[in-house]
Amino acid sequence: KAFLAAHSADTGYLPACANLGSLAAHEGNPTWAVTILEECAATFPRSDTAHYNLGTALRLTGQAPRAEKELSEALRLAGTGALRPLALNELALLLIDSGRPAAAITLLEGAGPVAEGTVEGAVLEKTLGLACQGAGRAGDAAAALRRALDGPLPAAQRGVALSALGA
């Protein structure tokens, strides 16, 4: 709390707070990460970044309902901004993991297009493929996964897509 209080007057500190919280979540200290990021989101309630990072930390700690709320807020606040595809993807993955692939499909299909040929677009196609697979829509899953693999899908995610295709 002292870290946050010392910087709360300066919005320039928000990226440091978000990065510190995300690092703590990924480095095995999720409780501390959630504490930092809750303070960050409370201090900057209109920040898509603060809500996104809190949502991802909550997802890592298995707090799905709270994660869904924060990621939905991040998506709402992001509008058409740069964080939109990240929040959209993270929320869709949460829905898939929560056994609601049909809701993930609805979210992704209703979100509008992401520019073809972009990393973000390829990642969202991969997630759509996973959602379709979870919903028993094998043909749609295969088509989305192939589109993802034809795009600039990052190497770390190519294995997931190939595995889902059964390749």
Side-chain angles (χ1 to χ4, degrees), residues 2-4 43 60 68-69 80-81 86 96 111 115 117 134 137-138 140 143 145 148 154:
F3 174 78
L4 292 163
T43 303
L60 285 172
E68 185 175 346
K69 177 182 174 261
T80 60
L86 295 172
I96 294 166
R137 293 172 40 183
D140 293 334
L145 291 166

Side-chain angles (χ1 to χ4, degrees), residues 22 25-26 48-49 51-64 66-72 74-75 83-98 100 104 107-108 120 123-124 126-128 157:
S22 294
H26 286 92
D48 57 354
T49 302
H51 289 283
Y52 171 77
N53 283 293
L54 176 55
T56 58
L58 289 165
R59 181 172 175 245
L60 285 172
T61 61
Q63 299 179 58
R66 288 184 61 209
E68 185 175 346
K69 177 182 174 261
E70 293 299 331
L71 291 168
S72 294
L75 186 58
L83 192 68
R84 179 181 173 271
L86 295 172
L88 186 60
N89 191 64
E90 191 73 17
L91 182 55
L93 288 170
L94 174 73
L95 293 170
I96 294 166
D97 292 347
S98 298
R100 297 165 37 211
L107 174 70
L108 292 168
E120 293 87 357
V123 170
L124 288 171
K126 184 239 357 155
T127 301
L128 177 60
Q157 300 211 17

Side-chain angles (χ1 to χ4, degrees), residues 1-2 8 15 31 50 53 62 72 85 101 113 141 150 156:
K1 290 193 177 212
S8 64
T31 303
N53 283 293
S72 294
D150 287 343

